[in-house]
Amino acid sequence: MRRWVAAVLAAVAGAGLATAVTAGVAHGAPPAHALRLFEHNTQQAGIDLGEHGQGPGDLFVFAGDLTDGSATGPKVGRAAGSCTTTSGDAAKPGDLLCAITLTLRGGQIQTQAVYDSAALFGGSVVPLAITGGTGEYRGARGDGTAQVPDPKDPTAVVFVLNPSA
């Protein structure tokens, strides 16, 4: 695990990525080694599977640019993923099972989560798991959060990744 944390920190320094350095005192503040990335979809598609209309089996597929910390930061990679609706319908939002891969210099970081769709697209900060990686991120583990910062623009997501030490 220490090797992965070192790889993340090396990638952060090498790619010019910002880190959230407000560790410690404030409740909910990310650890000093957190990685903050902003993703904006450049391609997306919704696929209505199963019964017509929103419901289990529907698929949302997307890909986009990753930037350092904010929408105006330098481009540092790409994100690609899919979310499958596992519950809910047009009258009542449900759960989404999402798998997202973040491609950075040196390799990829895989994440996975089940999100309450109303919370995610309503601007809430929701948890995710770091489930693995490739290249410099091989063996990656940890957790993090995802947030759609503007519910009126569901094409943008802020990721904060907290690697395990």
Side-chain angles (χ1 to χ4, degrees), residues 68-149:
D68 174 17
S70 72
T72 59
K75 182 178 173 184
V76 295
R78 297 271 301 157
S82 64
C83 295
T84 303
T85 301
T86 59
S87 67
D89 56 37
K92 180 177 181 257
D95 291 329
L96 301 170
L97 172 61
C98 298
I100 303 165
T101 299
L102 308 173
T103 301
L104 303 166
R105 187 175 72 185
Q108 298 177 333
I109 299 172
Q110 285 76 36
T111 70
Q112 187 170 354
V114 174
Y115 298 121
D116 175 294
S117 61
L120 177 64
F121 293 110
S124 296
V125 175
V126 293
L128 61 80
I130 298 170
T131 58
T134 66
E136 292 178 11
Y137 310 109
R138 188 174 335 137
R141 293 287 183 264
D143 62 7
T145 61
Q147 179 187 27
V148 175

